Amino acid sequence: MEHRDRRHVLLDVAGDFAVITMNRPEKRNALSLSHMEELCDAFVEVASSDSRGVILAAAGPVFCAGHDFSEMAGQDYAYMHRLLETCTRLMQTITTTPQPVVARVHGLATAAGAQLVATCDLAVASANAGFAAPGGKGGWFCHTPMVAIGHSIGRKRAAELAFTGDVIDAATARDWGLINRVVEPDDLEPAAFELLERATRGSRYSKALGKRTLYQQLDLPVHDAYAIAVAAMAGASQTHDAQEGMASFLEKRTPKWSDR
């Protein structure tokens, strides 16, 4: 994989997996405009690579403190709209990245930081992690973070998080559906890789098609969701890997994936 110059983001490959690390520890990994643009670029780079899965991690004591107020205070509507559109593009880039994406959350994730966690396909958190949408107790509500967070945890819990601005611990975040599991701090890195390893078993091509269809149908009425899923599954049945999967099952042998 080609490595490009980035100031705020590190991109490394660990075997079959790519690790994208937010690297603004002095700013609590706050999402400045340039930071979000670099994250978008890193995910686009991984999407076109041979990596089978992605981990989103962060350097320093905080996972992500949300938007960078130091570059937002006093800005006009046009700048703020551009900033928030870039944030939305980042979230949609993660969702459309064909590989499974696991957030590895070691510390506090607030506002757009919690939005990042909610947007990733899967999330593993340290028992030390916390999650909040603090705009509700300040002067600026967490409107855009609550899109992804609300879709993950449901209406009543989203309202509680948004209105109170309180931090919830990792165990609560797991129970509410914001993350998949909680582990001790020393177990976080292997646990994230273990989950990603299981999430990337099988045909990479099949997984990419499946991820795309999953997000297309999740928020639709059941009738429309089935229409999309039926068309996608019937089409996917004609791929080489789908046929290989069925044949290997019937022939009781190990499948040989060609990712097509």
Side-chain angles (χ1 to χ4, degrees):
M1 183 185 297
E2 175 189 356
H3 287 254
R4 304 174 188 173
D5 253 351
R6 299 184 181 93
R7 291 176 54 212
H8 307 310
V9 173
L10 304 175
L11 175 56
D12 298 296
V13 177
D16 286 337
F17 302 142
V19 180
I20 296 173
T21 304
M22 295 181 284
N23 192 34
R24 294 186 80 206
E26 74 287 353
K27 290 286 190 178
R28 296 160 59 92
N29 294 309
L31 296 173
S32 65
L33 184 60
S34 59
H35 187 186
M36 290 188 291
E37 288 171 341
E38 288 186 12
L39 281 168
C40 284
D41 181 71
F43 274 103
V44 168
E45 185 175 343
V46 170
S48 62
S49 76
D50 292 333
S51 292
R52 299 182 67 84
V54 192
I55 286 177
L56 176 63
V62 172
F63 179 78
C64 179
H67 288 299
D68 189 344
F69 280 15
S70 68
E71 74 168 21
M72 298 165 76
Q75 294 287 358
D76 62 14
Y77 175 88
Y79 179 87
M80 293 302 297
H81 194 274
R82 177 190 170 200
L83 184 87
L84 294 168
E85 285 285 0
T86 301
C87 184
T88 300
R89 176 163 58 89
L90 168 59
M91 304 304 161
Q92 292 174 335
T93 299
I94 292 171
T95 302
T96 56
T97 296
Q99 299 96 330
V101 181
V102 174
R104 189 175 79 203
V105 189
H106 68 284
L108 190 63
T110 64
Q115 182 184 4
L116 272 176
V117 177
T119 299
C120 290
D121 305 311
L122 303 162
V124 180
S126 161
N128 293 339
F131 305 85
K137 62 181 180 182
W140 194 31
F141 202 79
C142 286
H143 300 277
T144 51
M146 293 315 302
V147 174
I149 295 170
H151 276 74
S152 290
I153 67 178
R155 179 176 174 176
K156 296 298 186 187
R157 286 166 173 168
E160 181 177 343
L161 204 62
F163 293 157
T164 68
D166 292 341
V167 176
I168 58 172
D169 61 20
T172 303
R174 178 196 58 208
D175 293 344
W176 285 12
L178 185 61
I179 61 175
N180 295 86
R181 58 180 46 87
V182 182
V183 297
E184 291 304 311
D186 289 346
D187 298 327
L188 180 60
E189 186 170 337
F193 276 114
E194 188 271 338
L195 178 58
L196 191 57
E197 181 69 50
R198 291 191 293 111
T200 53
R201 289 180 296 205
S203 161
R204 177 186 170 192
Y205 184 64
S206 170
K207 199 82 66 177
L209 290 174
K211 177 174 173 175
R212 184 174 66 195
T213 305
L214 178 66
Y215 290 123
Q216 283 178 335
Q217 61 88 1
L218 270 179
D219 298 318
L220 295 175
V222 171
H223 179 272
D224 296 336
Y226 270 122
I228 285 176
V230 165
M233 197 161 186
S237 73
Q238 304 306 297
T239 65
H240 177 277
D241 282 356
Q243 292 297 318
E244 169 64 8
M246 288 184 270
S248 63
F249 176 81
L250 293 171
E251 296 164 12
K252 296 181 172 54
R253 60 174 173 80
T254 301
K256 298 178 180 177
W257 308 120
S258 63
D259 291 327
R260 60 185 175 88

